[in-house]
Amino acid sequence: MVARGTQPSRPRRLGRPIASDGDERRRRIIESARRQFARSGFAGTTNREIAERAGITTGAIYHYFRSKLEVYLAVFEETDRLILERYAQVTADPTMSFDQMVAAILEVSSQMNREDESLAAFITSASVDAHRTPDLMASYRGHDRQMVSFFERLVDRGIAEGSLDPAMRSDAMAAIRVLTIGLTWYSVRVHDPEAHRKATVATVAALRGELFAPGGQRRRRKAG
Amino acid sequence: MVARGTQPSRPRRLGRPIASDGDERRRRIIESARRQFARSGFAGTTNREIAERAGITTGAIYHYFRSKLEVYLAVFEETDRLILERYAQVTADPTMSFDQMVAAILEVSSQMNREDESLAAFITSASVDAHRTPDLMASYRGHDRQMVSFFERLVDRGIAEGSLDPAMRSDAMAAIRVLTIGLTWYSVRVHDPEAHRKATVATVAALRGELFAPGGQRRRRKAG
Amino acid sequence: MVARGTQPSRPRRLGRPIASDGDERRRRIIESARRQFARSGFAGTTNREIAERAGITTGAIYHYFRSKLEVYLAVFEETDRLILERYAQVTADPTMSFDQMVAAILEVSSQMNREDESLAAFITSASVDAHRTPDLMASYRGHDRQMVSFFERLVDRGIAEGSLDPAMRSDAMAAIRVLTIGLTWYSVRVHDPEAHRKATVATVAALRGELFAPGGQRRRRKAG
Amino acid sequence: MVARGTQPSRPRRLGRPIASDGDERRRRIIESARRQFARSGFAGTTNREIAERAGITTGAIYHYFRSKLEVYLAVFEETDRLILERYAQVTADPTMSFDQMVAAILEVSSQMNREDESLAAFITSASVDAHRTPDLMASYRGHDRQMVSFFERLVDRGIAEGSLDPAMRSDAMAAIRVLTIGLTWYSVRVHDPEAHRKATVATVAALRGELFAPGGQRRRRKAG
DNA sequence: AATGAATGAGACTTCATTCAT
DNA sequence: CATGAATGAAGTCTCATTCAT
């Protein structure tokens, strides 16, 4: 016997809720699931956790998705889309230099992380879960392939404009991947936007030879 | 079933036996568990899987460990110890320069990965599981702290010998962590020792400003 | 979608309309349900399956029936009525002999099965479900009682006309029930109208002693 | 806090029970499952019901079988074997006539039914479930095929000894199947061994033409 | 020391039913 | 009238853990 109508916390009764929008609910589930998957992984996340965060019962999830796996895939798809859209946006200007683009990407990554920390956390989480749960691998590979091809275009742009040595193409690719992976993980682990930003800046500086170049002599970009 | 490391036929040497049967079993469980935890995570690994790989039954695990959690912690402890010992070994020589030390660490990381790929895989896996299973966090923090303090000593050594700008200390720390995390993950994912080695070289070069420094002109270390 | 029995273009006849829209829906649900119950049983049939076959949603079922159980009972009632009506029809002629009646019943059973195989399938299915789901038992017993009393009248007619030995009344009843049950099941299982017809003929022949009494020479009971 | 040691009804504690024999338990599960499957069908039987009857918990079932389906298949296999063994036994004597064999089979069927009514009930139940649950079909077909081939050998024996007209082989097969199916179902439904026995006798008499051929005067096939 | 039978909690999933729209 | 969102109970199955042997 639950009091009804007054307590806003848990008064839901049987049947259709008073104001319910299918799309809205679906989105709520995805968002709730992303948080939980990011934190606890695929196996570690229970339907109850997802449902509770979304304000429904476990059964209702199955009204929108056929299985927990499908929820995960939906989260993946959306997260993937969100990130790549953002990357595409900030590199859309054709007059940008390679350097500017790299900086823009790192900047927007950092910014997205501040806006919604579950994005980066989910991606890193997914990279682990994909290796643990075969059914997730295909989705992950798709995401990975898109990321790689995005960076390929970026590097090729750098080569075209003379910023990169064509002989170093594969080296540049590897380095970029290592550093983006590293930065993403760093951001997830330290869990502190400011630290992430500083690490980003430091990494960019290092890439410019301003950090580890030996001999005590520091390089300056466009040094006068 | 199979004795490893020492010939079983050879008569026991004096002193404490190298490994009592119990110790041997325990180690087998830990090794089996590391592989499985690395692949499937803490929640995703079952006691049966661990037991089967170790050639025993689930009940026997409880003779050596009080719970699955304790198995995990034991794995962590040992893996942590193994890695840090190795790092300490290759940087023990007091005449090494900062550059040489960094190179030695990356080299030995790569080497360990070739010897037993479950080491890096477990560490990356653990960094996720720690955030997923609160009971694991303490152990993970301990490992992390040791790593950080190891790198601090390294950076301070670089500052002392003039290879690093003291003002850049925290930046350098951040960059090194980003780099090592990125490389570890890269190695686990690409799963190919040669690619890992190339990526290591490329990343080091990038951090020296030899890859992405703008203006088309490449810097050389010790340029004449 | 498809009007049945009467042309929809024909103007309404006087009196009660043949089928209001509601009635039509109700009948559609019953028909859909009979197919599904026949195939999957009471427990194995879901409301969604019934609804989908009937071209509506699950909620709509509850406008016509109070529960899944009531749908089942309605199906039962209708099926029962259909079969008994048909039996009554073909045995209505008072000049038929007992032998002719038995033949007519077997023939019309076979024919109904060809027209709508879900009828026999439902009846056999129901005989199982009744024993599985107590709430269905009452309905089933009703149907069974009607069948028994129909056969009783039939046998009594046979006795009256001298075709059956009065001392064998209960034996004849039992044999008839065994054979009708057997034939119905056989028809459902072999799922082939021609085979069913042949089995019917063979069974009738057997009952006449034409099959298992060898050598053309008939055995006599208490042959003296 | 359950009292232990004294109440024999439900005192089971965690861990291995005091006296436990794997084979025994397995057999108990199968027997319990047969009863329940016979009564409630595959879908209608819950693991809890099986477990409770067998005196264990649901989880323990999975120590012996991988799934509910496998329990069902094991039950089927055993039941099938039991029945066919019994049929083979009572028809093993090479000097028996066809008539004697048929009588022996019907007699032993009736007898088995008295010994354990779940046997016939399970078989009839299975014939329905096989059509409802595709995974059960293969097993059922196997059983059916064995039954058919058993009856084929029987009929061929009847032909060889001149008791059956070779031209009527398929008719005789059909009639025998109809008869056995009918008797089995009748026995399950009336649930009364004596009634079953009487029905058996009556049906056999009917097949000999002793029931429905009126006037004591037998019809002749191709009567001159 | 080790086995393997067993428990019990909890996971995912299905489904009859209810109800606002 | 009908839809479809939602609940809640129940079902199958898994698994860490316990314990007699």
Side-chain angles (χ1 to χ4, degrees):
Chain A
M1 293 306 136
V2 180
R4 58 183 68 173
T6 48
Q7 272 98 325
S9 56
R10 196 133 296 271
R12 185 156 301 132
R13 301 209 300 294
L14 225 63
R16 173 176 240 184
I18 293 174
S20 159
D21 174 358
D23 270 12
E24 232 295 282
R25 269 288 149 89
R26 210 185 121 94
R27 224 171 294 133
R28 276 255 285 281
I29 294 173
I30 287 181
E31 201 185 307
S32 156
R34 177 162 53 222
R35 295 241 168 92
Q36 214 56 44
F37 283 140
R39 180 182 312 252
S40 310
F42 180 71
T45 294
T46 68
N47 285 338
R48 246 230 322 247
E49 287 164 346
I50 296 174
E52 259 167 28
R53 243 187 221 269
I56 52 177
T57 57
T58 57
I61 293 175
Y62 289 81
H63 193 70
Y64 297 94
F65 302 94
R66 271 196 296 245
S67 66
K68 186 182 166 188
L69 178 65
E70 283 217 349
V71 178
Y72 195 91
L73 297 181
V75 170
F76 209 140
E77 207 169 315
E78 228 219 27
T79 308
D80 189 40
R81 192 175 49 68
L82 242 77
I83 293 175
L84 283 164
E85 267 177 10
R86 206 71 170 269
Y87 278 11
Q89 268 173 27
V90 298
T91 55
D93 179 355
T95 67
M96 290 173 92
S97 75
F98 171 71
D99 267 28
Q100 286 171 326
M101 280 187 178
V102 171
I105 286 166
L106 294 179
E107 171 55 32
V108 81
S109 295
S110 182
Q111 191 181 319
M112 286 171 76
N113 214 56
R114 279 195 302 280
E115 291 166 16
D116 179 354
E117 58 184 25
S118 80
L119 290 179
F122 177 79
I123 289 297
T124 57
S125 208
S127 83
V128 171
D129 281 327
H131 288 266
R132 292 179 176 178
T133 309
D135 286 338
L136 307 180
M137 190 42 110
S139 260
Y140 178 69
R141 281 226 195 291
H143 166 77
D144 209 45
R145 225 174 290 127
Q146 286 195 273
M147 287 307 236
V148 167
S149 83
F150 179 84
F151 285 130
E152 270 173 355
R153 288 196 301 275
L154 189 73
V155 165
D156 287 340
R157 159 84 73 120
I159 291 172
E161 72 178 44
S163 302
L164 287 177
D165 184 346
M168 297 284 122
R169 185 175 186 266
S170 72
D171 280 15
M173 279 296 300
I176 283 185
R177 293 200 66 204
V178 165
L179 292 169
T180 48
I181 293 171
L183 270 172
T184 307
W185 274 95
Y186 187 81
S187 82
V188 171
R189 284 207 224 157
V190 301
H191 209 67
D192 167 5
E194 194 44 42
H196 181 208
R197 168 183 273 283
K198 281 190 67 176
T200 305
V201 171
T203 305
V204 170
L207 288 184
R208 284 185 184 134
E210 292 166 4
L211 209 53
F212 294 111
Q217 154 213 359
R218 301 285 159 261
R219 275 84 185 228
R220 305 255 127 61
R221 246 197 321 164
K222 301 178 183 175
Chain B
M1 302 280 154
V2 182
R4 270 162 317 126
T6 58
Q7 274 87 337
S9 52
R10 198 159 45 145
R12 276 274 169 76
R13 282 174 300 182
L14 287 180
R16 175 176 164 280
I18 296 170
S20 70
D21 282 2
D23 269 10
E24 164 62 8
R25 272 275 156 94
R26 208 184 122 94
R27 211 166 303 137
R28 275 258 281 288
I29 294 173
I30 288 180
E31 199 185 308
S32 156
R34 177 164 54 223
R35 296 239 168 94
Q36 212 56 44
F37 284 139
R39 181 184 311 251
S40 311
F42 180 71
T45 294
T46 69
N47 283 342
R48 256 245 301 270
E49 286 165 345
I50 296 174
E52 258 166 31
R53 243 189 219 267
I56 53 174
T57 55
T58 57
I61 292 177
Y62 287 79
H63 271 284
Y64 298 94
F65 302 93
R66 268 195 302 239
S67 67
K68 185 182 167 188
L69 180 65
E70 285 220 345
V71 178
Y72 196 91
L73 297 181
V75 171
F76 209 141
E77 209 169 313
E78 227 219 29
T79 308
D80 191 38
R81 192 176 50 69
L82 264 159
I83 293 174
L84 283 164
E85 268 177 9
R86 206 71 171 270
Y87 278 10
Q89 269 173 27
V90 299
T91 55
D93 179 356
T95 68
M96 290 173 91
S97 73
F98 171 71
D99 269 28
Q100 285 170 325
M101 281 187 178
V102 171
I105 286 166
L106 294 178
E107 170 56 30
V108 81
S109 295
S110 182
Q111 192 180 318
M112 287 171 77
N113 214 58
R114 280 195 300 279
E115 290 166 17
D116 179 354
E117 58 184 25
S118 81
L119 289 178
F122 177 78
I123 289 297
T124 56
S125 209
S127 81
V128 171
D129 281 327
H131 289 264
R132 293 179 176 179
T133 310
D135 287 338
L136 307 180
M137 189 44 108
S139 261
Y140 178 69
R141 282 230 194 288
H143 165 78
D144 208 46
R145 227 175 287 125
Q146 288 196 271
M147 287 306 239
V148 166
S149 82
F150 179 85
F151 286 129
E152 269 172 356
R153 289 196 300 276
L154 189 72
V155 164
D156 286 341
R157 159 85 71 120
I159 291 172
E161 72 179 43
S163 300
L164 289 177
D165 184 346
M168 298 283 125
R169 187 175 183 269
S170 71
D171 281 14
M173 278 296 300
I176 283 184
R177 293 199 67 204
V178 166
L179 162 73
T180 49
I181 294 171
L183 272 173
T184 307
W185 275 94
Y186 189 82
S187 82
V188 171
R189 283 209 224 154
V190 301
H191 210 67
D192 167 6
E194 192 45 40
H196 181 206
R197 169 183 277 283
K198 281 190 67 177
T200 305
V201 173
T203 308
V204 170
L207 287 184
R208 284 191 181 129
E210 292 167 4
L211 213 51
F212 297 110
Q217 102 183 75
R218 299 285 158 262
R219 276 81 183 231
R220 303 260 125 61
R221 255 195 311 162
K222 303 178 181 175
Chain C
M1 300 274 156
V2 182
R4 272 162 313 129
T6 58
Q7 273 88 336
S9 51
R10 198 157 46 142
R12 276 274 168 74
R13 283 175 299 180
L14 285 180
R16 175 176 162 279
I18 294 170
S20 70
D21 281 4
D23 269 9
E24 163 63 7
R25 273 275 156 93
R26 208 185 122 92
R27 211 167 303 137
R28 275 258 283 286
I29 293 173
I30 287 180
E31 198 185 311
S32 155
R34 176 164 53 222
R35 296 239 167 94
Q36 211 57 43
F37 284 139
R39 180 183 312 252
S40 311
F42 180 70
T45 294
T46 68
N47 283 342
R48 254 244 302 271
E49 286 164 346
I50 296 174
E52 258 165 31
R53 242 189 220 267
I56 54 175
T57 55
T58 57
I61 292 177
Y62 287 79
H63 271 283
Y64 298 94
F65 302 94
R66 268 196 300 239
S67 66
K68 185 183 166 188
L69 179 65
E70 286 221 343
V71 177
Y72 195 90
L73 297 180
V75 170
F76 208 141
E77 207 168 315
E78 227 219 29
T79 308
D80 190 39
R81 191 176 49 70
L82 263 159
I83 292 174
L84 284 164
E85 268 179 8
R86 205 70 170 270
Y87 278 10
Q89 268 173 28
V90 298
T91 56
D93 179 356
T95 67
M96 289 173 92
S97 73
F98 171 71
D99 269 27
Q100 285 171 326
M101 279 188 180
V102 171
I105 285 165
L106 294 178
E107 170 56 32
V108 79
S109 295
S110 180
Q111 192 180 320
M112 286 171 77
N113 213 56
R114 280 196 300 279
E115 290 166 16
D116 180 353
E117 58 183 26
S118 81
L119 289 179
F122 177 78
I123 289 297
T124 57
S125 209
S127 82
V128 172
D129 281 327
H131 288 264
R132 294 179 175 179
T133 309
D135 287 338
L136 307 179
M137 190 42 109
S139 259
Y140 178 69
R141 282 230 193 288
H143 165 76
D144 208 45
R145 227 174 290 127
Q146 288 197 271
M147 287 307 238
V148 166
S149 82
F150 179 85
F151 285 129
E152 269 172 357
R153 288 195 301 274
L154 190 71
V155 165
D156 286 342
R157 157 88 70 123
I159 291 171
E161 72 178 43
S163 302
L164 287 177
D165 183 347
M168 297 286 124
R169 186 174 186 266
S170 70
D171 281 15
M173 279 298 299
I176 284 184
R177 292 199 67 205
V178 165
L179 292 169
T180 47
I181 293 172
L183 271 173
T184 308
W185 274 96
Y186 187 82
S187 83
V188 171
R189 283 209 223 154
V190 301
H191 208 68
D192 167 5
E194 193 44 40
H196 181 206
R197 166 183 276 283
K198 281 189 66 175
T200 305
V201 172
T203 306
V204 170
L207 287 184
R208 288 190 181 126
E210 293 167 3
L211 209 52
F212 294 110
Q217 149 212 3
R218 300 291 158 258
R219 278 84 177 247
R220 305 250 128 67
R221 255 192 310 160
K222 302 178 182 175
Chain D
M1 294 304 135
V2 180
R4 59 182 69 172
T6 49
Q7 271 99 327
S9 56
R10 195 132 295 272
R12 186 155 300 133
R13 304 210 297 296
L14 226 62
R16 172 177 240 184
I18 293 174
S20 160
D21 174 358
D23 269 12
E24 233 295 281
R25 269 288 149 86
R26 210 185 120 95
R27 224 170 295 132
R28 275 257 284 283
I29 293 173
I30 287 181
E31 200 185 307
S32 156
R34 177 163 52 222
R35 295 241 168 92
Q36 213 56 45
F37 283 140
R39 181 183 310 254
S40 311
F42 180 71
T45 294
T46 69
N47 285 338
R48 245 228 323 244
E49 286 163 346
I50 296 174
E52 259 167 30
R53 242 188 222 267
I56 52 176
T57 56
T58 58
I61 293 176
Y62 289 81
H63 193 70
Y64 297 94
F65 302 94
R66 272 196 297 245
S67 65
K68 187 183 166 187
L69 179 64
E70 284 218 347
V71 177
Y72 195 91
L73 298 182
V75 170
F76 209 139
E77 208 169 314
E78 229 219 28
T79 307
D80 189 38
R81 192 175 48 69
L82 243 78
I83 293 175
L84 283 164
E85 267 177 10
R86 207 70 172 269
Y87 278 12
Q89 268 172 28
V90 299
T91 55
D93 180 356
T95 68
M96 292 173 91
S97 74
F98 171 70
D99 269 26
Q100 286 171 325
M101 280 189 179
V102 171
I105 286 166
L106 295 177
E107 170 57 32
V108 81
S109 294
S110 183
Q111 191 180 318
M112 287 171 76
N113 214 55
R114 278 195 302 280
E115 290 165 17
D116 179 353
E117 58 183 25
S118 80
L119 289 180
F122 177 78
I123 289 297
T124 56
S125 208
S127 83
V128 172
D129 281 327
H131 289 266
R132 293 179 177 179
T133 309
D135 286 337
L136 308 180
M137 191 41 113
S139 259
Y140 178 69
R141 281 227 195 289
H143 166 77
D144 208 45
R145 226 174 288 127
Q146 287 196 272
M147 287 307 235
V148 166
S149 83
F150 179 84
F151 286 129
E152 269 172 356
R153 288 195 300 274
L154 189 72
V155 164
D156 287 341
R157 159 84 71 121
I159 291 172
E161 71 179 44
S163 302
L164 288 178
D165 183 347
M168 298 284 125
R169 186 175 186 266
S170 71
D171 280 14
M173 279 296 301
I176 283 186
R177 295 199 65 203
V178 165
L179 162 74
T180 49
I181 294 172
L183 271 173
T184 308
W185 275 94
Y186 187 82
S187 83
V188 171
R189 285 207 222 154
V190 301
H191 210 66
D192 167 3
E194 194 44 41
H196 181 205
R197 167 183 275 284
K198 281 189 66 176
T200 305
V201 172
T203 308
V204 170
L207 288 184
R208 287 194 179 123
E210 292 167 2
L211 210 53
F212 296 110
Q217 146 212 4
R218 300 289 161 261
R219 278 85 179 241
R220 305 251 128 67
R221 256 189 311 156
K222 303 177 182 176

